[in-house]
């Protein structure tokens, strides 16, 4: 809310008190007319008028001072309404009392609504967490059954089971990122270990699609949350594998602690590159193959924002894509 100047407040105060001022002027005029009809001396009339004007000025100034102080107090409460709403007084007039009562009731309704929203969010979180853990049981059972067979069909089914498991994890991550109480653990981690864990998880997918992987290690420590950074790397690797028909994926870390994951895939149309991190955006390649949900890179962007990392993309159709994650933050300021 824009603060009003003292002059603006004075004009507003005068406008709000035009009716009493008009009444005061009318009374003064009546008295002046009566005094003149009785042929009273001009000095007496002027003296009485001066006293009335002086009293009116005193009332005007004192009233404006109270008006100004009240306005400043309301601004102070408004700027910190979540904390100071309890300081609202009953009001000087019946209208102010009614308005204060409405504000307090609205605040109670808002608190009740926020409590209900948090309860619903917690129930949803508990449900999806339980669902993901439960769905992993039949997935693990099917994996064990298929791993006993060495055929093209079993390998294809294992690949599809892996995708199902990843989609379930993505759903859980989507819920967790929307929860303000996510359990972030910020400290310095060995980046090489996080990368190797992600690569190890997707190794069967690299082998199945016969895609090469180039990674020479990284002797770097970064300030981050291990679980969520690994999630981001896994999502990027998943996209690289999905959209790379042949060639390789190369992982490098620059001296400035920028992690780059480059593939030789189909690439992204120039007009789509600025929007690939938007929620639900699939782009031409995602729509043409009906493979993309438009959530993977959005979750990466959201997670990186929470981790104070920067993620960006460079791409060209037919030449592949490079996803860069800037991990150079020297400190993390917790809210």
């Amino acid at each position: 809310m824009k603060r009003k100047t003292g002059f603006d407040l004075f004009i507003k105060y005068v406008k709000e008190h035009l009716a009493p001022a008009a009444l005061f002027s009318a009374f003064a005029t009546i008295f002046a007319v009566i005094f003149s009809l009785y042929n009273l001396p001009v000095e007496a009339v002027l003296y009485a008028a001066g006293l009335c004007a002086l009293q009116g000025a005193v009332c005007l100034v004192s009233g404006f001072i109270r008006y100004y102080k009240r306005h400043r107090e309301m601004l102070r409460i408004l700027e910190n309404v979540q904390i100071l709403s309890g300081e609202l007084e009953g009001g000087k007039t019946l209208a102010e009392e009614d308005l204060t009562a409405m504000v307090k009731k609205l605040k109670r309704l808002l608190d009740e609504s926020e409590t209900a929203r948090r309860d619903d969010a917690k129930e949803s979180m508990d449900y999806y967490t339980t669902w993901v853990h439960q769905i992993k049981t039949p997935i693990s059972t099917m994996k064990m059954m298929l791993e006993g067979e060495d055929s093209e069909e079993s390998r294809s089914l294992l690949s599809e089971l892996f995708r199902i498991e990843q989609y379930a994890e993505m759903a859980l991550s989507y819920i967790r990122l929307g929860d303000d109480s996510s359990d972030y653990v910020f400290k310095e981690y060995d980046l090489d270990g996080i990368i190797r864990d992600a690569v190890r998880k997707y190794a069967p997918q690299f082998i199945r699609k016969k895609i090469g992987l180039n990674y020479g290690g990284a002797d770097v420590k970064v300030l981050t949350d291990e679980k969520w950074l690994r999630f981001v790397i896994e999502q990027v690797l998943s996209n690289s594998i999905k959209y790379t028909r042949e060639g390789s994926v190369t992982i490098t870390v620059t001296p400035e602690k920028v992690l780059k994951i480059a593939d030789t895939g189909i690439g992204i149309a120039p007009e789509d590159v600025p929007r690939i991190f938007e929620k639900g955006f699939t782009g031409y390649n995602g729509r043409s193959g009906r493979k993309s949900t438009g959530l993977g890179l959005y979750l990466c962007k959201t997670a990186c924002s929470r981790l104070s990392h920067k993620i960006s993309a460079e791409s060209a159709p037919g030449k592949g894509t490079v996803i860069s994650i800037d991990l150079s933050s020297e400190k993390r300021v917790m809210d």
Side-chain angles (χ1 to χ4, degrees):
M1 181 178 180
K2 184 179 180 180
R3 286 182 176 272
K4 293 181 173 63
T5 64
F7 179 75
D8 292 335
L9 286 175
F10 181 75
I11 296 299
K12 191 171 182 62
Y13 173 75
V14 171
K15 287 181 179 178
E16 291 179 5
H17 292 79
L18 282 177
L23 186 61
F24 179 84
S25 299
F27 288 158
T29 303
I30 290 172
F31 277 101
V33 171
I34 292 174
F35 287 163
S36 64
L37 290 175
Y38 279 92
N39 294 320
L40 293 178
V42 176
E43 291 81 2
V45 176
L46 292 177
Y47 183 71
L51 288 177
C52 290
L54 178 61
Q55 182 63 35
V58 170
C59 291
L60 179 67
V61 172
S62 61
F64 175 69
I65 291 174
R66 291 192 299 272
Y67 182 85
Y68 180 78
K69 288 182 177 179
R70 181 72 172 170
H71 174 71
R72 293 298 296 271
E73 178 65 14
M74 290 297 101
L75 276 183
R76 184 182 70 87
I77 295 175
L78 178 61
E79 290 172 354
N80 302 276
V81 67
Q82 291 285 22
I83 303 173
L84 303 178
S85 58
E87 295 186 15
L88 284 171
E89 300 175 358
K92 304 297 182 183
T93 64
L94 180 60
E96 285 190 1
E97 289 179 359
D98 292 341
L99 182 60
T100 300
M102 284 190 289
V103 170
K104 288 184 176 181
K105 184 170 183 179
L106 287 173
K107 177 64 167 57
R108 287 196 300 271
L109 292 174
L110 178 62
D111 290 341
E112 291 172 2
S113 176
E114 179 64 15
T115 300
R117 186 194 69 80
R118 289 180 180 275
D119 290 341
D120 290 342
K122 186 178 183 305
E123 288 182 7
S124 297
M125 180 68 172
D126 292 341
Y127 170 77
Y128 280 108
T129 301
T130 302
W131 183 86
V132 169
H133 288 303
Q134 287 178 337
I135 202 68
K136 283 184 176 181
T137 301
I139 290 175
S140 298
T141 302
M142 286 186 283
K143 276 185 178 179
M144 292 177 61
M145 295 171 62
L146 291 170
E147 285 172 351
E149 303 178 14
D150 186 16
S151 64
E152 182 61 28
E153 183 180 8
S154 64
R155 287 192 290 271
S156 297
L157 289 173
L158 280 171
S159 178
E160 293 304 315
L161 279 176
F162 179 81
R163 291 178 60 192
I164 293 172
E165 189 173 22
Q166 292 310 110
Y167 287 140
E169 289 288 352
M170 185 184 294
L172 183 59
S173 297
Y174 181 80
I175 297 296
R176 283 175 173 168
L177 282 173
D179 183 11
D180 296 333
S181 60
S182 292
D183 53 340
Y184 298 103
V185 180
F186 292 97
K187 64 179 184 179
E188 285 198 333
Y189 291 95
D190 179 14
L191 180 59
D192 183 72
I194 298 175
I195 294 174
R196 290 186 184 279
D197 285 345
V199 168
R200 193 176 300 114
K201 182 176 181 178
Y202 280 86
Q205 306 303 313
F206 278 102
I207 294 172
R208 173 169 173 72
K209 293 195 68 175
K210 298 179 180 178
I211 300 172
L213 175 65
N214 304 311
Y215 175 58
D219 186 15
V220 175
K221 289 188 177 296
V222 294
L223 183 62
T224 189
D225 176 89
E226 181 181 28
K227 178 182 69 178
W228 283 107
L229 179 57
R230 185 188 301 116
F231 168 80
V232 172
I233 296 173
E234 288 176 358
Q235 287 299 312
V236 176
L237 288 177
S238 176
N239 276 4
S240 293
I241 295 171
K242 182 188 300 183
Y243 295 110
T244 301
R245 299 189 181 96
E246 59 182 14
S248 63
V249 174
T250 302
I251 303 175
T252 56
V253 181
T254 70
E256 295 78 21
K257 296 184 180 180
V258 177
L259 171 62
K260 292 180 177 290
I261 301 177
D263 62 54
T264 58
I266 60 178
I268 305 169
E271 63 273 18
D272 290 342
V273 173
R275 300 188 58 194
I276 62 173
F277 295 107
E278 294 179 10
K279 182 179 179 181
F281 183 76
T282 57
Y284 174 78
N285 290 332
R287 291 190 298 269
S288 62
R290 298 183 182 272
K291 298 178 180 180
S292 178
T293 62
L295 284 180
L297 289 179
Y298 164 75
L299 293 177
C300 288
K301 179 71 172 182
T302 304
C304 283
S305 296
R306 300 285 178 87
L307 301 177
S308 292
H309 303 326
K310 294 180 181 179
I311 185 169
S312 58
E314 299 174 39
S315 186
K319 296 183 178 180
T321 301
V322 180
I323 300 293
S324 299
I325 307 171
D326 189 346
L327 307 170
S328 60
S329 301
E330 293 299 327
K331 61 182 179 179
R332 167 80 188 186
V333 179
M334 295 299 293
D335 294 331

